[in-house]
Amino acid sequence: MNRRFCTIVSFIITGFGIYAQELITVEKAVELALEHNYGIKVANSLVEVAENNTSILNSDYLPTVTGNAGATYNLDNTEAVFANGEVTNLNNAESSRYNASVNLNYVLFDGLGRRYNYKSLKEQYQLTELEARETIETTLLQLFSVYYSVAQLYENKKVLTQTLNISNDRLKRSKYQFEYGQVTKLDVLNAEVDINNDSINLINISQELNNAKRDLNLVLGNSVLKVFDVETEVNFAMLFNKEELLQKAIAQNVILQQADKNILINQYELKTGKSEYLPTIGLTGSYGWNENNNNAAAFLAVLTNTGFSGGVNLTWNLFDGGRTLTRVKNARVNLQIQEIQKEQLLATVKRDFENAWDDYQNKLTVFKIQEENIITSQNNFDRTSEKFKLGQVNSIEFRQAQLNFINAELSRNQAKYQAKIAELEVLRLSGELLNTQI
């Protein structure tokens, strides 16, 4: 029964990994995410819309030209009474009128309102770019988190595979020793229980690995069509200067830069509101054609007019019930709110940076300690294995040494990738995530 179970386990594990053909490096994963991630695609589309809004065609600086045309047809019965008493009737008298014109309107001056609106649209475009950058940074951090989760599970699977192999060897040795009377049946049963537990752990970790790969592929916009593996090597940038990164966080953090843009946009909104105190001067022009085909009762049978017309008009809203004044006051208050929020964001970014820096340093230290612990656990397991082969320790002591070594390796793997994610969070807060070789 145990042999059959091991065969099933081997088939399942092989099925999970035998088709791994493509290696997705960190650089390749970033490239795929930037090109295919759904959130990044939406952010780039919003940037395109904001760029379209900054066009001269959306600025109100260009004139408007309209065309008009019309036609009227009349069928009348007319009775005319003259001074001498004579009466004349005109039945079914037809008449028609036709007209066409092209009209131009252009605002020469509107109190500089459209100028500030146009500048605000440009700042809105840059704000949308910053929002897209924030989306990219957040997505990349999510990408790295899932990517290194896959890498950790992959290394954990290797550890558990090795553990299962050791347990298989131990079971064979226990069976041989039992046949020659060197151990009791209890040792064989203990070995079978341990190998079953190791097999179950390996099945579970294999399923977790495949689930994590699907999560990674989703972040990549489902762009990987083949079964793939990831890199497990991690490099740390050890030359960070805390004060330099803090200054970069203050100058380059995308949240703070968005706050600066919002302040500038509110300043333009305040100026736009004030522009409504000034008059608007407009230019109008028209070229038209009119033709009247009169009935027999008219003095003129056909009357046609063509020509140009033009003019200048001034509109000055002397009093609008106080709506403009209220709008200006609210714009000034909104500007003050944006400045207060900028101060709060600055304090928050400094706090988050300090927390992220300490977290990174602590996790990097834990990783180094775990690496040293691996050496100790390896030596302890090797010595226990030799003593176990010589019959100097029992299976329980051997299993404990094996579990200690397994836990040390799993803890080392976890510490390594947690330290890397903590490093990336520091880079994100300092605005350097997109400028640093990961």
Side-chain angles (χ1 to χ4, degrees):
M1 183 66 179
N2 185 72
R3 182 177 302 170
R4 181 183 177 187
F5 180 76
C6 292
T7 303
I8 295 174
V9 171
S10 299
F11 175 77
I12 294 175
I13 302 305
T14 303
F16 282 135
I18 192 171
Y19 298 107
Q21 298 177 355
E22 184 177 2
L23 178 65
I24 304 296
T25 63
V26 175
E27 293 77 10
K28 181 65 175 178
V30 171
E31 179 184 342
L32 291 173
L34 292 177
E35 183 178 357
H36 299 285
N37 179 268
Y38 301 113
I40 292 178
K41 283 183 177 181
V42 172
N44 290 334
S45 297
L46 293 176
V47 171
E48 185 177 354
V49 171
E51 184 178 10
N52 293 337
N53 289 336
T54 62
S55 169
I56 190 69
L57 300 176
N58 191 47
S59 65
D60 291 332
Y61 274 109
L62 299 180
T64 60
V65 180
T66 59
N68 298 307
T72 303
Y73 174 79
N74 294 317
L75 183 64
D76 302 316
N77 293 323
T78 303
E79 181 181 283
V81 180
F82 296 96
N84 58 5
E86 183 179 350
V87 177
T88 301
N89 293 312
L90 184 63
N91 296 322
N92 297 323
E94 295 182 350
S95 64
S96 59
R97 290 186 295 274
Y98 305 96
N99 65 84
S101 64
V102 177
N103 306 298
L104 179 144
N105 291 277
Y106 183 67
V107 177
L108 297 175
F109 178 76
D110 68 342
L112 301 178
R114 62 184 173 183
R115 176 187 178 188
Y116 296 127
N117 279 330
Y118 189 52
K119 288 186 175 182
S120 178
L121 287 173
K122 289 185 175 180
E123 297 302 325
Q124 286 282 0
Y125 167 61
Q126 295 180 13
L127 176 61
T128 307
E129 284 188 318
L130 291 173
E131 291 172 347
R133 175 187 151 192
E134 180 186 6
T135 299
I136 292 173
E137 289 182 354
T138 303
T139 301
L140 289 184
L141 195 62
Q142 179 190 12
L143 167 68
F144 293 136
S145 178
V146 179
Y147 184 93
Y148 289 127
S149 176
V150 173
Q152 179 182 340
L153 289 170
Y154 181 77
E155 288 200 317
N156 289 350
K157 180 182 175 181
K158 289 175 61 178
V159 172
L160 295 179
T161 300
Q162 182 182 8
T163 300
L164 181 60
N165 293 334
I166 294 174
S167 296
N168 279 321
D169 292 339
R170 174 187 158 203
L171 178 60
K172 292 178 182 179
R173 181 179 298 276
S174 297
K175 287 182 177 180
Y176 290 145
Q177 291 176 332
F178 175 70
E179 290 177 0
Y180 289 98
Q182 297 177 353
V183 296
T184 64
K185 183 65 175 179
L186 181 61
D187 291 281
V188 177
L189 295 176
N190 285 336
E192 289 180 347
V193 170
D194 291 337
I195 198 173
N196 289 339
N197 289 332
D198 292 341
S199 300
I200 292 171
N201 291 336
L202 188 53
I203 292 174
N204 290 335
I205 200 71
S206 298
Q207 183 61 52
E208 290 180 28
L209 176 59
N210 280 273
N211 291 344
K213 285 184 177 181
R214 295 186 190 100
D215 293 339
L216 176 58
N217 200 17
L218 180 61
V219 178
L220 299 178
N222 291 316
S223 58
V224 183
L225 303 178
K226 300 178 180 179
V227 180
F228 62 90
D229 287 329
V230 299
E231 286 184 325
T232 57
E233 182 178 356
V234 171
N235 297 316
F236 293 94
M238 308 297 293
L239 301 178
F240 287 150
N241 183 285
K242 180 181 178 181
E243 292 304 320
E244 289 182 2
L245 285 180
L246 178 58
Q247 293 305 314
K248 287 182 178 180
I250 295 173
Q252 299 178 173
N253 183 274
V254 67
I255 300 297
L256 295 179
Q257 289 184 344
Q258 289 181 51
D260 290 333
K261 289 299 176 185
N262 283 320
I263 290 175
L264 192 54
I265 290 171
N266 275 272
Q267 289 174 346
Y268 286 135
E269 289 181 355
L270 176 60
K271 292 179 180 179
T272 300
K274 290 181 177 179
S275 69
E276 297 185 15
Y277 290 132
L278 301 176
T280 299
I281 301 174
L283 173 67
T284 62
S286 176
Y287 175 80
W289 167 79
N290 294 275
E291 179 180 294
N292 293 332
N293 297 313
N294 300 315
N295 57 37
F299 178 74
L300 297 175
V302 179
L303 178 63
T304 303
N305 295 320
T306 59
F308 292 94
S309 66
V312 177
N313 57 66
L314 182 146
T315 303
W316 198 340
N317 194 352
L318 298 178
F319 182 69
D320 62 355
R323 286 189 297 270
T324 299
L325 179 61
T326 303
R327 191 156 46 246
V328 170
K329 287 183 177 180
N330 289 340
R332 187 176 288 111
V333 172
N334 288 332
L335 178 59
Q336 294 174 353
I337 292 174
Q338 291 292 335
E339 291 172 344
I340 294 173
Q341 290 177 339
K342 167 68 183 301
E343 294 178 3
Q344 181 184 15
L345 287 172
L346 179 59
T348 302
V349 167
K350 289 181 178 179
R351 181 208 61 187
D352 291 345
F353 177 83
E354 292 288 345
N355 291 343
W357 178 266
D358 289 345
D359 184 57
Y360 171 52
Q361 296 300 318
N362 290 339
K363 287 181 177 177
L364 197 59
T365 302
V366 169
F367 171 56
K368 294 177 180 178
I369 295 174
Q370 291 291 355
E371 282 194 314
E372 295 175 357
N373 191 35
I374 283 289
I375 299 175
T376 303
S377 299
Q378 178 74 62
N379 291 335
N380 179 60
F381 178 68
D382 291 342
R383 293 181 180 181
T384 304
S385 298
E386 292 298 326
K387 291 183 177 181
F388 178 70
K389 294 176 182 178
L390 297 174
Q392 297 177 357
V393 297
N394 58 34
S395 60
I396 296 178
E397 293 172 318
F398 173 82
R399 180 62 176 178
Q400 187 59 52
Q402 184 186 23
L403 291 176
N404 290 340
F405 182 49
I406 294 170
N407 291 332
E409 287 190 304
L410 297 180
S411 298
R412 188 270 312 272
N413 294 341
Q414 182 181 33
K416 177 173 67 171
Y417 295 111
Q418 285 184 344
K420 186 60 181 180
I421 295 298
E423 177 186 272
L424 295 171
E425 176 64 14
V426 172
L427 292 174
R428 185 189 70 83
L429 289 171
S430 63
E432 288 290 295
L433 182 61
L434 303 179
N435 304 324
T436 305
Q437 185 69 31
I438 303 303

